[in-house]
Amino acid sequence: MLRRAGRILSGYPSSNPEFMSPSPRLSRMEFRNREGNEEYAFSLPRRNRAPGTSAFVRAKDEATKIEHCLRSILPAFDEIHVIDNGSRDGTAEIVRRLQRSGDADAGAKIHLHSYPFAVGRFGPEHDETPADSLHSLVYFTNWALSRCTLRYACKWDADMVLAHEQRSAFAGLLAGLGRGWPAAWSLAGQTVYRMPDGSFLARRGEVNREVRIAPCGYPVRFHKREHWEQLIRPRRLRTRHFAPVCFHELKFVDEEEFDHWSTTEFPSHRKQREWATFQRLRDERTDLAVRRLPSTFLDDQIGPPRRHGSGGGRAGTSPGGELPVDKRPGGEQPARKRVLSRLMPRFLGIGATRAGTSWVAAQLSAHPQIRMGRKEIHFFDRKLGAPGASGSGRERLNQLRYLARFVRARGGGRIRGEFTPGYAVLEPEVIRRIAEWMPDVRLIFMMRDPLERAWSQARNGFPRWRGKALESVSRDELISYFDSDPVRRRSDYAGCLRLWLEHFPPGQFFFGFLEEIREQPEELIRDLFGFLEAGETVVDGASLARPVNASAPVPMPDWVRDHLEREYCFDADEVSALIGRRVPWSR
């Protein structure tokens, strides 16, 4: 039941689509359960105003993990609410002991709550439980959310441990949440398995991403979905991505890690893969591509923070993983160098060729706050002059030659940038110079299935650059084309990204896929505008649906696919691990 302005309105809000965009007059939404238990009725405000970020942790029989979980996030969050769901293994007592441990933060930040009702497990049990029941996963999760009192809330699971190397970057993200336009944030996690002998393994590519941080209030709450609960949020609330792998999801092979499911016919690919990995490790099968981690892995995650992290988690980073100017090597920059740095573009589109980059560039050019020159100015791969010493006259002249490309750029927006997909395969020395010129630049990297990308490049390249219809090209000439270094390297996304990631933290990258352009273009482009900190704008649906620079629709012959599958055996799992998201073409 929902109470508004002293009246009772029927219906459970989270199952009612009309509440996706609640009336601004509704300052508080009250929830009643069908069992009539007033003690566990609750309310959600329209928004929490107190600055800071709350975490809520649902826990049931997590005695082996809960302390590591809480100690890892204790320095990051302003308050942590642990909701014990009838644990019988001492989970609640471990939390109380941590509260009494003498750690001032633990005593002040950790709050323990009890939710004693049996909750329907994921799958069929969840599907059969009404959303307004005390036994519903949705009601339980929204009740847990109602414990949070600060402006932002984070759903953190009891089997998750904050990655030690990302602690500083993650704290920077949380510290910046109260500033700027409100947003939801997705976090990526790597599954880590503990073997019965105490060793730890991580399977390559088992990286999962989920929206976990959002403004705290009833417009952002949990809704019943088939098999599980889902966070709903207003369309105006954009989603941003914390790029690096932020946490480790623990699974102990000698425990029953899937008993919170009421079926083993898992509906998601992610869960099917975890189940298959878990069973293989339990059966002591070794036919898996895994990384072995130190036996001290779990304790290392809650040790003192390192001065410098890896993968974007450096000390003193901003929410995007960027170092402030005064904390980069070299200290304060000379005045002339600072002026040139301020004039440099805010973003570069660096790849990949034939992966929807023309479509992305067209959408960016149409935004009133973005100023772009023509696509593919090819400065760094064709027109860059010989290097000079850092800060020398020769190097400043090179920079001025580059800035001249933006004098007549389209649009009058404050956000300047360019898109040249050939930059994906730049030499390491050139990437190093870009990092010196533009240490804070944001990088856009679009991808698609590597085999389809190579075939599209051939469909576009032969008629356009070689003056030949694709049908007239011989088999040997096509094979030579696909095996050439420029074409092959453009499909090796992991090889390209490793070079760029040596000079830029992952938080400065936006990763997108041609598949997203086809299936959810509006969500992709809004995420990209948010990444560039461009203001909200009306997105033209017709423009989003219109292909840009599409190559002729010639089907890929079977012999071409067979050849590319043999020769282009790039590891999709490696790309997934580098970008913190599962790639759509993973086989």
Side-chain angles (χ1 to χ4, degrees):
M1 302 289 285
L2 168 69
R3 183 188 301 274
R4 182 173 72 178
R7 293 180 296 145
I8 299 289
L9 303 180
S10 62
Y12 181 76
S14 67
S15 61
N16 191 341
E18 71 178 274
F19 287 99
M20 288 293 288
S21 298
S23 164
R25 296 191 299 273
L26 185 58
S27 62
R28 181 170 293 274
M29 183 178 287
E30 295 190 16
F31 293 74
R32 297 287 183 267
N33 53 75
R34 62 174 50 210
E35 289 83 2
N37 186 322
E38 288 297 320
E39 182 181 356
Y40 281 88
F42 64 95
S43 64
L44 290 172
R46 181 164 179 258
R47 62 177 178 270
N48 284 341
R49 298 183 181 275
T53 308
S54 309
F56 67 92
V57 182
R58 302 169 301 171
K60 181 174 182 179
D61 296 332
E62 298 284 2
T64 55
K65 305 185 184 82
I66 191 66
E67 185 168 358
H68 284 91
C69 166
L70 296 179
R71 287 192 181 278
S72 72
I73 63 176
L74 190 57
F77 291 100
D78 299 295
E79 65 175 14
I80 302 170
H81 296 273
V82 182
I83 296 86
D84 180 54
N85 183 215
S87 298
R88 292 178 290 182
D89 65 348
T91 297
E93 184 51 41
I94 292 172
V95 177
R96 293 189 191 99
R97 188 171 67 241
L98 187 57
Q99 289 174 308
R100 301 190 301 262
S101 64
D103 185 324
D105 277 350
K109 290 183 178 182
I110 298 176
H111 307 273
L112 178 63
H113 311 272
S114 174
Y115 191 88
F117 310 102
V119 175
R121 296 176 296 170
F122 294 111
E125 277 189 20
H126 168 74
D127 298 341
E128 296 164 5
T129 307
D132 61 348
S133 170
L134 288 168
H135 306 288
S136 165
L137 179 65
V138 177
Y139 193 92
F140 171 39
T141 307
N142 281 324
W143 186 89
L145 177 63
S146 72
R147 306 301 96 183
C148 300
T149 65
L150 303 180
R151 190 170 299 168
Y152 275 79
C154 175
K155 174 176 169 270
W156 195 272
D157 296 339
D159 60 356
M160 289 165 43
V161 175
L162 180 62
H164 186 279
E165 61 272 18
Q166 299 304 335
R167 190 184 301 178
S168 296
F170 187 67
L173 165 67
L174 298 185
L177 286 179
R179 300 189 293 270
W181 193 264
W185 283 82
S186 73
L187 307 178
Q190 166 77 56
T191 308
V192 172
Y193 300 87
R194 190 188 72 175
M195 302 299 289
D197 62 1
S199 61
F200 292 89
L201 304 174
R203 185 176 180 185
R204 295 179 64 182
E206 278 196 357
V207 175
N208 307 299
R209 180 172 287 279
E210 179 181 342
V211 175
R212 290 186 172 274
I213 302 176
C216 190
Y218 67 71
V220 183
R221 63 187 185 278
F222 292 87
H223 178 80
K224 184 172 182 179
R225 179 183 172 184
E226 187 179 10
H227 305 309
W228 53 72
E229 87 285 21
Q230 181 181 25
L231 187 70
I232 60 170
R233 53 199 185 275
R235 290 186 177 180
R236 67 179 181 275
L237 186 71
R238 68 189 184 201
T239 300
R240 303 184 68 179
H241 308 289
F242 184 75
V245 171
C246 168
F247 62 87
H248 304 293
E249 184 177 346
L250 303 174
K251 296 203 179 299
F252 293 177
V253 174
D254 53 355
E255 296 184 7
E256 295 301 327
E257 292 287 4
F258 294 87
D259 57 359
H260 57 292
W261 279 84
S262 56
T263 180
T264 55
E265 300 295 325
F266 300 109
S268 71
H269 174 74
R270 164 193 170 183
K271 199 56 61 176
Q272 292 168 10
R273 182 180 171 97
E274 286 183 352
W275 171 256
T277 302
F278 188 82
Q279 294 302 318
R280 288 184 181 184
L281 294 176
R282 177 167 279 188
D283 296 340
E284 300 183 355
R285 293 175 60 180
T286 58
D287 56 338
L288 293 171
V290 296
R291 275 188 303 127
R292 293 195 173 274
L293 304 172
S295 59
T296 58
F297 165 78
L298 200 50
D299 291 328
D300 291 345
Q301 305 310 306
I302 58 175
R306 301 185 183 106
R307 181 172 179 81
H308 295 289
S310 61
R314 305 178 195 168
T317 53
S318 70
E322 305 153 5
L323 280 172
V325 170
D326 59 353
K327 296 201 178 174
R328 294 194 183 93
E332 185 76 13
Q333 295 178 331
R336 285 177 298 182
K337 193 171 182 180
R338 289 201 305 271
V339 170
L340 288 177
S341 296
R342 285 198 297 269
L343 294 175
M344 286 291 168
R346 182 181 295 186
F347 70 89
L348 292 181
I350 62 172
T353 304
R354 309 306 303 167
T357 56
S358 295
W359 182 90
V360 172
Q363 307 309 319
L364 293 175
S365 296
H367 194 288
Q369 293 183 15
I370 293 176
R371 183 186 182 99
M372 281 186 63
R374 63 180 177 81
K375 184 172 178 279
E376 302 194 35
I377 65 175
H378 287 287
F379 181 84
F380 290 106
D381 55 349
R382 298 180 187 174
K383 302 166 186 172
L384 179 63
S390 179
S392 67
R394 173 184 289 180
E395 198 68 349
R396 287 199 300 275
L397 180 60
N398 278 322
Q399 291 174 325
L400 291 170
R401 289 179 53 240
Y402 180 54
L403 290 173
R405 301 299 193 278
F406 297 92
V407 171
R408 297 182 180 179
R410 294 188 298 274
R414 60 183 175 83
I415 302 173
R416 294 193 292 180
E418 62 138 323
F419 216 125
T420 304
Y423 291 169
V425 293
L426 288 176
E427 294 301 318
E429 176 59 27
V430 179
I431 299 174
R432 182 192 64 76
R433 289 177 71 184
I434 293 174
E436 287 183 355
W437 290 14
M438 301 174 275
D440 297 326
V441 72
R442 304 188 184 191
L443 304 165
I444 304 168
F445 195 88
M446 299 296 297
M447 291 170 274
R448 69 187 292 187
D449 183 315
L451 311 189
E452 297 290 346
R453 194 219 64 77
W455 177 242
S456 177
Q457 188 174 352
R459 298 200 319 260
N460 184 69
F462 275 97
R464 185 172 181 181
W465 304 114
R466 302 192 181 189
K468 289 185 176 182
L470 197 59
E471 296 79 4
S472 67
V473 179
S474 69
R475 181 169 180 152
D476 288 343
E477 192 174 1
L478 264 180
I479 290 176
S480 176
Y481 179 81
F482 290 130
D483 292 350
S484 65
D485 188 60
V487 177
R488 183 184 177 85
R489 286 179 63 199
R490 281 168 167 77
S491 285
D492 183 9
Y493 306 135
C496 297
L497 287 173
R498 280 195 299 268
L499 295 178
W500 281 90
L501 286 165
E502 288 180 5
H503 300 279
F504 295 95
Q508 289 175 226
F509 286 81
F510 178 92
F511 301 110
F513 304 105
L514 180 64
E515 291 79 2
E516 292 177 316
I517 295 176
R518 291 168 175 166
E519 296 170 7
Q520 46 190 19
E522 184 172 350
E523 183 175 341
L524 171 71
I525 204 64
R526 288 191 184 279
D527 284 354
L528 181 53
F529 289 158
F531 172 75
L532 298 177
E533 297 183 357
E536 293 290 323
T537 186
V538 176
V539 180
D540 180 5
S543 172
L544 294 179
R546 188 182 305 120
V548 180
N549 194 26
S551 52
V554 181
M556 186 189 305
D558 290 340
W559 73 265
V560 171
R561 183 171 293 279
D562 291 341
H563 175 80
L564 293 177
E565 285 180 347
R566 285 194 308 270
E567 300 299 324
Y568 282 43
C569 50
F570 303 119
D571 190 347
D573 287 348
E574 184 177 5
V575 180
S576 298
L578 285 170
I579 71 174
R581 297 175 61 191
R582 186 148 198 82
V583 298
W585 62 87
S586 179
R587 296 179 177 85

